[in-house]
Amino acid sequence: AQTVTQSQPEMSVQEAETVTLSCTYDTSESDYYLFWYKQPPSRQMILVIRQEAYKQQNATENRFSVNFQKAAKSFSLKISDSQLGDAAMYFCAYRNTGANSKLTFGKGITLSVRP
Amino acid sequence: NAGVTQTPKFQVLKTGQSMTLQCAQDMNHNSMYWYRQDPGMGLRLIYYSASEGTTDKGEVPNGYNVSRLNKREFSLRLESAAPSQTSVYFCASKPSGSSYNEQFFGPGTRLTVL
């Protein structure tokens, strides 16, 4: 079974600075997908960024980018120019391929942003 | 489009009571999911339905049943609620096709079992 590990329960960043959230995963598959979700205090789950495992190029979405290291099974999220609205819980998730594919989530990390 | 909707938003039950959490999506998605979120545990899959007429167990199915009523609706039933089922429950849906497709989540139901 696949597992997703987020070892840091909390992190803090100064507004306008850069922060990196770590995620590792374990799988025997060669083709899969990785996601980062944001959960603000409203509880709504919001997709931040996603990566296809067969693509070597790291995904970017505005201030959000990932460092995908397939051999190391690492998928970290970098947030540049941090804003107060970035304060939330962030979940790393893995999805296998196929008709019955399912998302497996890490335990999450709480990010606070200091003004 | 309303996306994924869940009712109720909050519920308090006594141990042994039963209830059904409702979920509906208006995006014509084939796959639907039920998760529970507990502090420090992330989201864990309870049941899922890859298509209308099919349901399968996820990671933590014990104590729950589901019904995929039609393509739009996927309900979660607690037959005899226990305090261990106190949690926030999320419904989600995803279009068929690539596993790369985004999965959309409802706003969640906060359930307390006394």
Side-chain angles (χ1 to χ4, degrees), chain B residues 39-96:
Chain B
M41 296 296 291
L43 276 76
R44 293 181 293 170
L45 184 64
I46 304 171
Y47 270 94
Y48 68 102
S49 172
S51 61
E52 185 179 356
T54 68
T55 59
D56 286 287
K57 295 178 180 179
E59 181 184 353
V60 288
N62 291 346
Y64 305 95
N65 285 301
V66 291
S67 295
R68 183 74 184 267
L69 304 170
N70 47 55
K71 192 171 186 178
R72 289 187 63 248
E73 299 172 286
F74 188 39
S75 62
L76 179 71
R77 183 161 178 83
L78 287 71
E79 290 291 351
S80 179
S84 61
Q85 294 178 304
T86 293
S87 188
V88 179
Y89 291 85
F90 288 94
C91 178
S93 71
K94 188 182 86 63
S96 58

Short mmCIF file of all heavy atoms in Angstrom, two decimals, chain B residues 39-96:
data_model
loop_
_atom_site.label_atom_id
_atom_site.label_comp_id
_atom_site.label_asym_id
_atom_site.label_seq_id
_atom_site.Cartn_x
_atom_site.Cartn_y
_atom_site.Cartn_z
N PRO B 39 -7.94 14.99 13.76
CA PRO B 39 -6.72 15.75 14.07
C PRO B 39 -5.48 14.88 13.99
O PRO B 39 -5.43 13.80 14.58
CB PRO B 39 -6.98 16.25 15.49
CG PRO B 39 -8.46 16.30 15.62
CD PRO B 39 -8.97 15.14 14.82
N GLY B 40 -4.49 15.36 13.25
CA GLY B 40 -3.22 14.64 13.15
C GLY B 40 -3.26 13.40 12.28
O GLY B 40 -2.29 12.65 12.23
N MET B 41 -4.39 13.18 11.58
CA MET B 41 -4.51 11.93 10.81
C MET B 41 -4.69 12.19 9.31
O MET B 41 -4.76 11.25 8.53
CB MET B 41 -5.71 11.12 11.32
CG MET B 41 -5.58 10.65 12.74
SD MET B 41 -4.21 9.51 12.92
CE MET B 41 -4.82 8.10 12.02
N GLY B 42 -4.81 13.41 8.90
CA GLY B 42 -5.08 13.67 7.49
C GLY B 42 -6.48 13.21 7.12
O GLY B 42 -7.35 13.03 7.98
N LEU B 43 -6.72 13.00 5.84
CA LEU B 43 -8.00 12.51 5.36
C LEU B 43 -7.85 11.03 5.06
O LEU B 43 -6.92 10.62 4.36
CB LEU B 43 -8.43 13.24 4.08
CG LEU B 43 -9.14 14.58 4.27
CD1 LEU B 43 -8.15 15.67 4.64
CD2 LEU B 43 -9.91 14.95 3.01
N ARG B 44 -8.78 10.24 5.56
CA ARG B 44 -8.75 8.81 5.32
C ARG B 44 -10.01 8.38 4.58
O ARG B 44 -11.11 8.80 4.93
CB ARG B 44 -8.62 8.05 6.64
CG ARG B 44 -7.28 8.27 7.34
CD ARG B 44 -7.18 7.48 8.64
NE ARG B 44 -8.11 7.98 9.64
CZ ARG B 44 -8.37 7.37 10.79
NH1 ARG B 44 -7.80 6.21 11.06
NH2 ARG B 44 -9.20 7.91 11.65
N LEU B 45 -9.84 7.54 3.59
CA LEU B 45 -10.94 7.14 2.73
C LEU B 45 -11.81 6.10 3.43
O LEU B 45 -11.32 5.07 3.91
CB LEU B 45 -10.39 6.57 1.42
CG LEU B 45 -11.40 6.18 0.36
CD1 LEU B 45 -12.18 7.41 -0.13
CD2 LEU B 45 -10.70 5.49 -0.80
N ILE B 46 -13.12 6.36 3.45
CA ILE B 46 -14.05 5.43 4.08
C ILE B 46 -14.62 4.46 3.02
O ILE B 46 -14.49 3.25 3.13
CB ILE B 46 -15.22 6.19 4.75
CG1 ILE B 46 -14.69 7.22 5.76
CG2 ILE B 46 -16.16 5.21 5.46
CD1 ILE B 46 -15.76 8.15 6.30
N TYR B 47 -15.24 5.03 2.01
CA TYR B 47 -15.81 4.28 0.89
C TYR B 47 -15.67 5.13 -0.36
O TYR B 47 -15.58 6.35 -0.28
CB TYR B 47 -17.30 3.99 1.12
CG TYR B 47 -17.62 2.71 1.83
CD1 TYR B 47 -17.80 2.71 3.22
CD2 TYR B 47 -17.77 1.52 1.14
CE1 TYR B 47 -18.12 1.54 3.89
CE2 TYR B 47 -18.09 0.34 1.81
CZ TYR B 47 -18.26 0.36 3.19
OH TYR B 47 -18.59 -0.81 3.85
N TYR B 48 -15.72 4.46 -1.50
CA TYR B 48 -15.76 5.19 -2.74
C TYR B 48 -16.64 4.46 -3.74
O TYR B 48 -16.96 3.29 -3.57
CB TYR B 48 -14.35 5.44 -3.30
CG TYR B 48 -13.62 4.20 -3.77
CD1 TYR B 48 -13.53 3.89 -5.12
CD2 TYR B 48 -12.99 3.37 -2.86
CE1 TYR B 48 -12.84 2.77 -5.54
CE2 TYR B 48 -12.31 2.24 -3.26
CZ TYR B 48 -12.23 1.95 -4.61
OH TYR B 48 -11.55 0.83 -5.02
N SER B 49 -17.00 5.21 -4.78
CA SER B 49 -17.83 4.67 -5.85
C SER B 49 -17.22 5.11 -7.16
O SER B 49 -17.25 6.29 -7.49
CB SER B 49 -19.26 5.20 -5.72
OG SER B 49 -20.03 4.83 -6.86
N ALA B 50 -16.64 4.16 -7.89
CA ALA B 50 -15.96 4.51 -9.13
C ALA B 50 -16.96 4.88 -10.24
O ALA B 50 -16.63 5.60 -11.17
CB ALA B 50 -15.07 3.37 -9.58
N SER B 51 -18.16 4.36 -10.12
CA SER B 51 -19.20 4.69 -11.10
C SER B 51 -20.56 4.36 -10.49
O SER B 51 -20.64 3.66 -9.47
CB SER B 51 -19.00 3.92 -12.40
OG SER B 51 -19.07 2.53 -12.15
N GLU B 52 -21.59 4.85 -11.11
CA GLU B 52 -22.94 4.59 -10.62
C GLU B 52 -23.18 3.09 -10.54
O GLU B 52 -22.86 2.35 -11.46
CB GLU B 52 -23.95 5.23 -11.57
CG GLU B 52 -25.37 5.14 -11.13
CD GLU B 52 -26.32 5.81 -12.11
OE1 GLU B 52 -25.82 6.41 -13.10
OE2 GLU B 52 -27.54 5.74 -11.91
N GLY B 53 -23.68 2.63 -9.40
CA GLY B 53 -23.98 1.22 -9.22
C GLY B 53 -22.88 0.42 -8.59
O GLY B 53 -23.06 -0.77 -8.30
N THR B 54 -21.71 1.04 -8.34
CA THR B 54 -20.61 0.32 -7.70
C THR B 54 -20.13 1.08 -6.47
O THR B 54 -20.11 2.31 -6.46
CB THR B 54 -19.41 0.15 -8.65
OG1 THR B 54 -18.83 1.42 -8.89
CG2 THR B 54 -19.84 -0.48 -9.96
N THR B 55 -19.78 0.34 -5.43
CA THR B 55 -19.16 0.92 -4.25
C THR B 55 -18.07 -0.02 -3.75
O THR B 55 -18.18 -1.25 -3.92
CB THR B 55 -20.17 1.16 -3.11
OG1 THR B 55 -20.77 -0.09 -2.73
CG2 THR B 55 -21.27 2.13 -3.54
N ASP B 56 -17.05 0.55 -3.14
CA ASP B 56 -15.94 -0.25 -2.61
C ASP B 56 -15.45 0.34 -1.31
O ASP B 56 -15.55 1.56 -1.08
CB ASP B 56 -14.78 -0.28 -3.61
CG ASP B 56 -15.07 -1.17 -4.79
OD1 ASP B 56 -15.05 -2.41 -4.59
OD2 ASP B 56 -15.33 -0.65 -5.87
N LYS B 57 -14.91 -0.54 -0.47
CA LYS B 57 -14.37 -0.09 0.81
C LYS B 57 -13.05 0.64 0.62
O LYS B 57 -12.26 0.30 -0.25
CB LYS B 57 -14.15 -1.30 1.73
CG LYS B 57 -15.43 -2.01 2.13
CD LYS B 57 -15.13 -3.21 3.01
CE LYS B 57 -16.42 -3.92 3.41
NZ LYS B 57 -16.15 -5.12 4.26
N GLY B 58 -12.86 1.63 1.49
CA GLY B 58 -11.59 2.32 1.54
C GLY B 58 -10.77 1.84 2.71
O GLY B 58 -10.83 0.66 3.09
N GLU B 59 -10.05 2.75 3.32
CA GLU B 59 -9.12 2.41 4.40
C GLU B 59 -9.83 2.15 5.72
O GLU B 59 -9.41 1.30 6.51
CB GLU B 59 -8.13 3.57 4.56
CG GLU B 59 -7.06 3.40 5.61
CD GLU B 59 -6.20 4.65 5.75
OE1 GLU B 59 -6.35 5.60 4.94
OE2 GLU B 59 -5.39 4.69 6.69
N VAL B 60 -10.92 2.88 6.01
CA VAL B 60 -11.59 2.79 7.31
C VAL B 60 -13.10 2.62 7.16
O VAL B 60 -13.88 3.48 7.57
CB VAL B 60 -11.26 4.04 8.17
CG1 VAL B 60 -9.82 4.02 8.65
CG2 VAL B 60 -11.55 5.33 7.40
N PRO B 61 -13.58 1.49 6.63
CA PRO B 61 -15.01 1.34 6.35
C PRO B 61 -15.87 0.87 7.52
O PRO B 61 -17.09 0.96 7.46
CB PRO B 61 -15.01 0.28 5.25
CG PRO B 61 -13.83 -0.58 5.60
CD PRO B 61 -12.79 0.36 6.14
N ASN B 62 -15.24 0.35 8.57
CA ASN B 62 -16.02 -0.26 9.65
C ASN B 62 -16.94 0.74 10.33
O ASN B 62 -16.52 1.82 10.72
CB ASN B 62 -15.08 -0.89 10.68
CG ASN B 62 -14.37 -2.10 10.13
OD1 ASN B 62 -14.75 -2.64 9.09
ND2 ASN B 62 -13.32 -2.53 10.81
N GLY B 63 -18.22 0.34 10.47
CA GLY B 63 -19.20 1.18 11.12
C GLY B 63 -19.97 2.07 10.16
O GLY B 63 -20.84 2.84 10.59
N TYR B 64 -19.68 1.95 8.87
CA TYR B 64 -20.32 2.79 7.86
C TYR B 64 -20.91 1.94 6.73
O TYR B 64 -20.42 0.85 6.45
CB TYR B 64 -19.32 3.75 7.24
CG TYR B 64 -18.57 4.62 8.21
CD1 TYR B 64 -17.31 4.24 8.67
CD2 TYR B 64 -19.11 5.82 8.66
CE1 TYR B 64 -16.62 5.04 9.56
CE2 TYR B 64 -18.41 6.63 9.55
CZ TYR B 64 -17.17 6.22 9.99
OH TYR B 64 -16.48 7.02 10.88
N ASN B 65 -21.94 2.49 6.11
CA ASN B 65 -22.46 1.94 4.87
C ASN B 65 -22.69 3.09 3.90
O ASN B 65 -22.86 4.24 4.32
CB ASN B 65 -23.78 1.20 5.10
CG ASN B 65 -23.55 -0.15 5.76
OD1 ASN B 65 -22.85 -1.00 5.23
ND2 ASN B 65 -24.13 -0.33 6.93
N VAL B 66 -22.69 2.78 2.61
CA VAL B 66 -22.89 3.82 1.61
C VAL B 66 -23.92 3.36 0.59
O VAL B 66 -24.18 2.17 0.44
CB VAL B 66 -21.58 4.18 0.87
CG1 VAL B 66 -20.61 4.90 1.80
CG2 VAL B 66 -20.95 2.95 0.24
N SER B 67 -24.48 4.35 -0.08
CA SER B 67 -25.41 4.10 -1.19
C SER B 67 -25.11 5.08 -2.30
O SER B 67 -25.07 6.29 -2.06
CB SER B 67 -26.86 4.26 -0.73
OG SER B 67 -27.21 3.30 0.24
N ARG B 68 -24.89 4.53 -3.49
CA ARG B 68 -24.77 5.42 -4.66
C ARG B 68 -26.15 5.41 -5.30
O ARG B 68 -26.51 4.56 -6.08
CB ARG B 68 -23.72 4.89 -5.64
CG ARG B 68 -23.48 5.81 -6.83
CD ARG B 68 -22.71 7.03 -6.46
NE ARG B 68 -22.56 7.96 -7.55
CZ ARG B 68 -21.51 7.99 -8.38
NH1 ARG B 68 -20.51 7.12 -8.22
NH2 ARG B 68 -21.44 8.87 -9.34
N LEU B 69 -26.94 6.40 -4.91
CA LEU B 69 -28.35 6.44 -5.28
C LEU B 69 -28.52 6.65 -6.78
O LEU B 69 -29.44 6.09 -7.40
CB LEU B 69 -29.03 7.57 -4.50
CG LEU B 69 -28.87 7.46 -2.97
CD1 LEU B 69 -29.35 8.74 -2.28
CD2 LEU B 69 -29.60 6.25 -2.43
N ASN B 70 -27.71 7.45 -7.35
CA ASN B 70 -27.71 7.72 -8.79
C ASN B 70 -26.36 8.37 -9.09
O ASN B 70 -25.49 8.42 -8.21
CB ASN B 70 -28.89 8.63 -9.17
CG ASN B 70 -29.02 9.82 -8.24
OD1 ASN B 70 -28.05 10.58 -8.06
ND2 ASN B 70 -30.17 9.97 -7.62
N LYS B 71 -26.21 8.89 -10.27
CA LYS B 71 -24.89 9.45 -10.60
C LYS B 71 -24.58 10.67 -9.74
O LYS B 71 -23.42 10.94 -9.42
CB LYS B 71 -24.85 9.82 -12.08
CG LYS B 71 -23.44 10.14 -12.57
CD LYS B 71 -23.40 10.28 -14.08
CE LYS B 71 -21.96 10.45 -14.55
NZ LYS B 71 -21.88 10.55 -16.03
N ARG B 72 -25.57 11.41 -9.33
CA ARG B 72 -25.36 12.64 -8.59
C ARG B 72 -25.11 12.43 -7.11
O ARG B 72 -24.40 13.20 -6.48
CB ARG B 72 -26.58 13.56 -8.73
CG ARG B 72 -26.79 14.20 -10.07
CD ARG B 72 -27.93 15.21 -10.00
NE ARG B 72 -27.62 16.31 -9.10
CZ ARG B 72 -28.23 16.55 -7.94
NH1 ARG B 72 -29.18 15.74 -7.48
NH2 ARG B 72 -27.91 17.59 -7.20
N GLU B 73 -25.72 11.42 -6.51
CA GLU B 73 -25.80 11.34 -5.06
C GLU B 73 -25.09 10.12 -4.49
O GLU B 73 -25.20 9.00 -5.02
CB GLU B 73 -27.27 11.32 -4.63
CG GLU B 73 -28.04 12.56 -5.06
CD GLU B 73 -29.52 12.42 -4.78
OE1 GLU B 73 -30.20 11.68 -5.53
OE2 GLU B 73 -29.99 13.04 -3.82
N PHE B 74 -24.40 10.36 -3.36
CA PHE B 74 -23.64 9.30 -2.69
C PHE B 74 -23.77 9.54 -1.20
O PHE B 74 -23.22 10.50 -0.67
CB PHE B 74 -22.18 9.38 -3.15
CG PHE B 74 -21.31 8.25 -2.69
CD1 PHE B 74 -21.76 6.95 -2.66
CD2 PHE B 74 -19.98 8.49 -2.34
CE1 PHE B 74 -20.94 5.90 -2.27
CE2 PHE B 74 -19.14 7.46 -1.96
CZ PHE B 74 -19.62 6.16 -1.93
N SER B 75 -24.52 8.70 -0.52
CA SER B 75 -24.79 8.94 0.89
C SER B 75 -23.97 8.01 1.78
O SER B 75 -23.61 6.89 1.38
CB SER B 75 -26.29 8.76 1.18
OG SER B 75 -26.70 7.43 0.90
N LEU B 76 -23.72 8.48 3.00
CA LEU B 76 -22.96 7.73 3.99
C LEU B 76 -23.84 7.53 5.22
O LEU B 76 -24.35 8.50 5.77
CB LEU B 76 -21.69 8.50 4.38
CG LEU B 76 -20.79 7.86 5.44
CD1 LEU B 76 -20.07 6.63 4.87
CD2 LEU B 76 -19.77 8.87 5.97
N ARG B 77 -24.00 6.29 5.65
CA ARG B 77 -24.88 6.00 6.78
C ARG B 77 -24.10 5.43 7.95
O ARG B 77 -23.27 4.52 7.78
CB ARG B 77 -25.99 5.04 6.36
CG ARG B 77 -26.99 4.76 7.49
CD ARG B 77 -28.29 4.23 6.99
NE ARG B 77 -29.20 3.94 8.09
CZ ARG B 77 -29.97 4.84 8.70
NH1 ARG B 77 -29.93 6.12 8.32
NH2 ARG B 77 -30.78 4.48 9.69
N LEU B 78 -24.42 5.97 9.12
CA LEU B 78 -23.92 5.42 10.37
C LEU B 78 -25.11 4.72 11.03
O LEU B 78 -26.09 5.37 11.41
CB LEU B 78 -23.40 6.53 11.29
CG LEU B 78 -22.07 7.19 10.94
CD1 LEU B 78 -22.18 8.08 9.71
CD2 LEU B 78 -21.57 8.01 12.12
N GLU B 79 -25.07 3.43 11.16
CA GLU B 79 -26.22 2.66 11.68
C GLU B 79 -26.33 2.80 13.19
O GLU B 79 -27.41 2.90 13.74
CB GLU B 79 -26.09 1.20 11.30
CG GLU B 79 -26.29 0.92 9.82
CD GLU B 79 -27.73 1.14 9.37
OE1 GLU B 79 -28.62 1.34 10.23
OE2 GLU B 79 -27.97 1.14 8.15
N SER B 80 -25.19 2.79 13.88
CA SER B 80 -25.18 2.89 15.34
C SER B 80 -23.94 3.70 15.73
O SER B 80 -22.86 3.14 15.87
CB SER B 80 -25.16 1.50 15.99
OG SER B 80 -25.12 1.61 17.39
N ALA B 81 -24.14 5.00 15.84
CA ALA B 81 -23.01 5.90 16.02
C ALA B 81 -22.24 5.63 17.31
O ALA B 81 -22.84 5.30 18.36
CB ALA B 81 -23.48 7.35 15.99
N ALA B 82 -20.92 5.78 17.22
CA ALA B 82 -20.03 5.60 18.37
C ALA B 82 -19.17 6.85 18.52
O ALA B 82 -18.91 7.55 17.53
CB ALA B 82 -19.15 4.38 18.16
N PRO B 83 -18.72 7.14 19.74
CA PRO B 83 -17.86 8.33 19.93
C PRO B 83 -16.63 8.34 19.03
O PRO B 83 -16.16 9.42 18.64
CB PRO B 83 -17.48 8.23 21.41
CG PRO B 83 -18.63 7.52 22.04
CD PRO B 83 -19.07 6.50 21.02
N SER B 84 -16.13 7.17 18.65
CA SER B 84 -14.96 7.09 17.76
C SER B 84 -15.27 7.62 16.36
O SER B 84 -14.35 7.83 15.56
CB SER B 84 -14.45 5.66 17.66
OG SER B 84 -15.46 4.82 17.12
N GLN B 85 -16.54 7.80 16.06
CA GLN B 85 -16.93 8.32 14.76
C GLN B 85 -17.08 9.85 14.77
O GLN B 85 -17.46 10.45 13.75
CB GLN B 85 -18.21 7.66 14.28
CG GLN B 85 -18.03 6.18 13.99
CD GLN B 85 -19.30 5.48 13.56
OE1 GLN B 85 -20.32 5.53 14.26
NE2 GLN B 85 -19.25 4.83 12.41
N THR B 86 -16.77 10.46 15.88
CA THR B 86 -16.70 11.92 15.93
C THR B 86 -15.58 12.38 15.00
O THR B 86 -14.43 11.95 15.15
CB THR B 86 -16.42 12.40 17.36
OG1 THR B 86 -17.56 12.10 18.18
CG2 THR B 86 -16.14 13.90 17.39
N SER B 87 -15.93 13.20 14.02
CA SER B 87 -14.95 13.55 12.99
C SER B 87 -15.56 14.61 12.08
O SER B 87 -16.72 14.98 12.22
CB SER B 87 -14.59 12.30 12.18
OG SER B 87 -13.51 12.56 11.31
N VAL B 88 -14.77 15.06 11.14
CA VAL B 88 -15.27 15.88 10.04
C VAL B 88 -15.30 14.99 8.80
O VAL B 88 -14.29 14.35 8.47
CB VAL B 88 -14.40 17.12 9.78
CG1 VAL B 88 -14.95 17.92 8.60
CG2 VAL B 88 -14.33 17.99 11.03
N TYR B 89 -16.44 14.95 8.15
CA TYR B 89 -16.62 14.07 6.99
C TYR B 89 -16.67 14.89 5.71
O TYR B 89 -17.40 15.88 5.61
CB TYR B 89 -17.91 13.26 7.14
CG TYR B 89 -17.82 12.25 8.26
CD1 TYR B 89 -18.09 12.61 9.58
CD2 TYR B 89 -17.42 10.94 7.99
CE1 TYR B 89 -17.98 11.68 10.60
CE2 TYR B 89 -17.32 10.00 9.01
CZ TYR B 89 -17.59 10.39 10.31
OH TYR B 89 -17.47 9.46 11.32
N PHE B 90 -15.89 14.46 4.74
CA PHE B 90 -15.85 15.12 3.44
C PHE B 90 -16.30 14.17 2.35
O PHE B 90 -15.89 13.02 2.30
CB PHE B 90 -14.43 15.59 3.10
CG PHE B 90 -13.98 16.77 3.90
CD1 PHE B 90 -13.25 16.60 5.06
CD2 PHE B 90 -14.28 18.06 3.48
CE1 PHE B 90 -12.82 17.69 5.79
CE2 PHE B 90 -13.86 19.16 4.22
CZ PHE B 90 -13.14 18.97 5.37
N CYS B 91 -17.12 14.70 1.48
CA CYS B 91 -17.49 14.01 0.25
C CYS B 91 -16.69 14.64 -0.88
O CYS B 91 -16.36 15.84 -0.84
CB CYS B 91 -18.98 14.16 0.00
SG CYS B 91 -19.58 13.40 -1.51
N ALA B 92 -16.36 13.87 -1.89
CA ALA B 92 -15.61 14.39 -3.02
C ALA B 92 -16.07 13.69 -4.29
O ALA B 92 -16.65 12.61 -4.25
CB ALA B 92 -14.11 14.21 -2.82
N SER B 93 -15.79 14.32 -5.43
CA SER B 93 -16.11 13.69 -6.70
C SER B 93 -15.00 13.99 -7.70
O SER B 93 -14.25 14.96 -7.55
CB SER B 93 -17.46 14.19 -7.24
OG SER B 93 -17.38 15.54 -7.68
N LYS B 94 -14.92 13.17 -8.72
CA LYS B 94 -13.88 13.30 -9.75
C LYS B 94 -14.42 12.83 -11.08
O LYS B 94 -15.12 11.82 -11.14
CB LYS B 94 -12.64 12.47 -9.37
CG LYS B 94 -11.44 12.68 -10.26
CD LYS B 94 -10.28 11.79 -9.87
CE LYS B 94 -10.34 10.43 -10.51
NZ LYS B 94 -10.25 10.44 -11.97
N PRO B 95 -14.09 13.52 -12.14
CA PRO B 95 -14.54 13.04 -13.46
C PRO B 95 -13.79 11.77 -13.83
O PRO B 95 -12.72 11.48 -13.31
CB PRO B 95 -14.18 14.19 -14.39
CG PRO B 95 -13.11 14.95 -13.70
CD PRO B 95 -13.35 14.78 -12.24
N SER B 96 -14.38 11.01 -14.72
CA SER B 96 -13.72 9.81 -15.20
C SER B 96 -12.57 10.21 -16.11
O SER B 96 -12.41 11.38 -16.47
CB SER B 96 -14.71 8.92 -15.96
OG SER B 96 -15.26 9.63 -17.05
#
